[in-house]
Amino acid sequence: MMPLWKRILIEKRAAIIPLTIGLLANIGAYALWVYPLGVKSATAADRAAAATQSLHAAEQDLAAARALVTGKSRAEQEIATFYDKVLPADFSSARRLTYSTLPSLARKANVKMLERREEIDKAEKDARLGILHIQTQWEGDYESLRRFIYELESDPAFVIIDDVQLLQQDPTKPLMLRLQLSTYYRQGANGN
């Protein structure tokens, strides 16, 4: 007696052979076309995701670059405004600014100027800015001196307070205030 599986193979050979050939053809087609296309499709999806991330990164870089350009141009405009409108044009303008501003603020605050000395910083030959140092001495009561300092700091004139000394040698006399001030000014092409 023949085993059952041999008998089925012999009797149903007409149906089994085409089924076996179809099964082998399907396995071959899957191995040769379907699987490689699936891998290629998955790789394309990965590349598309990576391209999307690269696009977002590039857009962020572009936005940052535009912000940098805008910030740089705004800073250049502010520097130009500072040089043209805030900073005294030359040494004599800086001197006039301090000679008019300081006494005016002192009168407003009821403070008396006792002394004023100037010192010019010798700048480098090709420096764009010069510095005028001013040493002053003032007299008044505490509130007046305080108001004077506040007014000086609030004034639009470009004067910097470098040092403050408050002195009272005799309790019966008014307070003395020593201020070291400075202002910058634009230097001409020849350094003065």
Side-chain angles (χ1 to χ4, degrees):
M1 185 154 157
M2 226 192 272
L4 181 61
W5 63 273
K6 274 189 180 181
R7 185 172 151 207
I8 293 173
L9 279 177
I10 292 173
E11 289 180 12
K12 304 292 182 183
R13 183 177 3 170
I16 291 178
I17 290 179
L19 283 175
T20 306
I21 291 174
L23 180 65
L24 291 175
N26 277 336
I27 291 171
Y30 179 78
L32 295 175
W33 290 291
V34 175
Y35 180 74
L37 286 176
V39 169
K40 190 175 182 181
S41 173
T43 304
D46 291 344
R47 284 194 319 250
T52 302
Q53 287 178 343
S54 294
L55 175 64
H56 289 302
E59 288 172 344
Q60 289 174 346
D61 288 346
L62 177 63
R66 284 186 177 150
L68 180 66
V69 168
T70 302
K72 184 177 183 249
S73 73
R74 188 177 308 126
E76 287 172 350
Q77 288 172 346
E78 289 175 3
I79 287 173
T81 299
F82 175 74
Y83 271 94
D84 295 340
K85 295 185 178 165
V86 175
L87 212 57
D90 54 14
F91 173 73
S92 60
S93 297
R95 197 168 194 210
R96 271 193 312 273
L97 174 123
T98 60
Y99 266 105
S100 64
T101 302
L102 296 176
S104 164
L105 295 174
R107 277 190 302 278
K108 214 163 132 179
N110 196 24
V111 173
K112 180 181 173 187
M113 182 187 281
L114 299 176
E115 182 183 343
R116 175 192 172 109
R117 285 180 303 183
E118 291 180 359
E119 185 180 305
I120 303 166
D121 238 3
K122 296 295 179 190
E124 295 177 20
K125 201 168 198 150
D126 53 347
R128 293 177 62 186
L129 297 177
I131 304 172
L132 172 62
H133 294 284
I134 306 144
Q135 295 177 2
T136 59
Q137 195 163 334
W138 308 88
E139 183 179 78
D141 63 64
Y142 179 77
E143 283 302 317
S144 298
L145 293 172
R146 194 172 136 224
R147 188 171 45 250
F148 172 68
I149 291 172
Y150 173 78
E151 293 292 332
L152 181 59
E153 287 182 333
S154 303
D155 196 74
F158 190 69
V159 178
I160 300 167
I161 298 176
D162 296 321
D163 189 38
V164 177
Q165 292 179 354
L166 190 60
L167 309 165
Q168 187 172 27
Q169 296 166 341
D170 185 358
T172 61
K173 292 187 179 180
L175 289 171
M176 288 180 49
L177 174 69
R178 286 186 188 154
L179 290 178
Q180 290 184 4
L181 309 168
S182 60
T183 187
Y184 292 79
Y185 57 91
R186 287 178 278 163
Q187 295 205 99
N190 58 1
N192 52 10

